[in-house]
Amino acid sequence: MQWLRHCSLFAELNDADLGAIAELSGLRGYTAGEIIFHGGTPADGLHVVVDGLVKVCRYGADGREQVLHLFGRGEPCGEVAMFEGKTFPATAQAMADGHTLYLGRTDFLEAARSRPELLLNMLGVLSRRLRRFVELIDDLSLKEVSTRLARRLCEMTAGKEGDTVALQASKATLAAQIGTIPETLSRTLARMQQRGVLRVSGKEIVIANRKALTALAEGEKL
């Protein structure tokens, strides 16, 4: 119940309803690199990340990876496809050793029929996901790499204290998230350092000039 309470889908449920969902859930463990589900396979349930990091991605015909989401503790994964009842549209992979709570589709829908607040919570989560996808499409089609990177860094520091971004995954994953390749990301980071916008040390990125970063995020040329 404590793990489910961290998930946006279930956070507002009362203890009785949350307990009912907990009874239907099972803990699963994954090692780094292990596939949680493949794109194209039946969407038979959803996962809630307990610990670790989960990457959801798709691959182009040329093998190029596009990272759609990185999910951490308390975030649901696969709920859209599960609710639709068809197949997973993307692949989910564990980026670090961790666990998920698995909730089967049949069990969830049976519980949801008697607890409509579950569906209302899900609607809010899916609306936020849809908004993020619209922004991603806009970024990939219209904006330069420096703009996409600046926007991503602004998102990663929104609502947090300090100006340090500790990357949860590799820089290659960050490159895939913003729709570019690692070499282009490295060149863009180097140019942003030269301008004094940020400092990079390993997996840590320190925002040295927030005003300049915001300007880049809004479309200013690098």
Side-chain angles (χ1 to χ4, degrees):
M1 287 181 65
Q2 290 178 346
W3 292 331
L4 288 172
R5 186 67 75 188
H6 287 292
C7 178
S8 55
L9 288 179
F10 312 114
E12 298 180 13
L13 297 182
N14 59 45
D15 287 346
D17 289 342
L18 197 68
I21 295 298
E23 289 181 359
L24 302 175
S25 304
L27 187 66
R28 295 186 175 186
Y30 297 93
T31 57
E34 188 174 354
I35 298 297
I36 297 174
F37 55 76
H38 286 279
T41 58
D44 54 358
L46 68 87
H47 293 260
V48 176
V49 181
V50 173
D51 53 29
L53 186 68
V54 174
K55 173 180 70 175
V56 175
C57 58
R58 298 187 69 173
Y59 298 93
D62 59 356
R64 184 174 175 179
E65 178 186 69
Q66 174 63 59
V67 177
L68 303 176
H69 292 291
L70 285 178
F71 292 129
R73 181 188 181 195
E75 294 186 280
C77 179
E79 75 284 357
V80 178
M82 183 276 299
F83 190 71
E84 186 180 25
K86 295 183 179 180
T87 60
F88 290 115
T91 296
Q93 181 181 25
M95 298 292 288
D97 293 350
H99 300 81
T100 70
L101 281 178
Y102 174 77
L103 179 59
R105 180 176 189 273
T106 301
D107 291 336
F108 176 79
L109 291 182
E110 183 176 342
R113 289 187 183 98
S114 60
R115 296 175 174 84
E117 60 271 22
L118 288 177
L119 303 182
L120 291 176
N121 286 340
M122 177 175 282
L123 182 61
V125 172
L126 299 187
S127 296
R128 289 190 290 274
R129 293 270 180 88
L130 178 60
R131 182 179 301 157
R132 173 62 187 135
F133 275 127
V134 171
E135 292 173 352
L136 177 61
I137 292 170
D138 181 51
D139 284 351
L140 294 178
S141 60
L142 301 175
K143 295 180 173 62
E144 296 184 355
V145 173
S146 58
T147 299
R148 303 201 298 263
L149 176 58
R151 287 189 60 169
R152 181 61 184 148
L153 292 175
C154 287
E155 290 171 0
M156 295 171 75
T157 56
K160 296 181 180 180
E161 294 184 2
D163 291 314
T164 300
V165 176
L167 297 180
Q168 295 178 296
S170 66
K171 289 179 182 175
T173 299
L174 176 59
Q177 282 185 285
I178 63 173
T180 190
I181 58 176
E183 292 78 8
T184 301
L185 173 64
S186 295
R187 289 195 296 270
T188 304
L189 285 170
R191 291 171 63 194
M192 291 173 78
Q193 286 193 95
Q194 291 172 359
R195 279 193 51 180
V197 179
L198 48 79
R199 298 188 301 274
V200 181
S201 177
K203 284 191 173 184
E204 280 195 352
I205 300 175
V206 178
I207 299 172
N209 188 330
R210 173 72 64 173
K211 183 177 180 180
L213 183 71
T214 301
L216 287 173
E218 293 174 351
E220 180 179 295
K221 301 293 184 180
L222 182 62

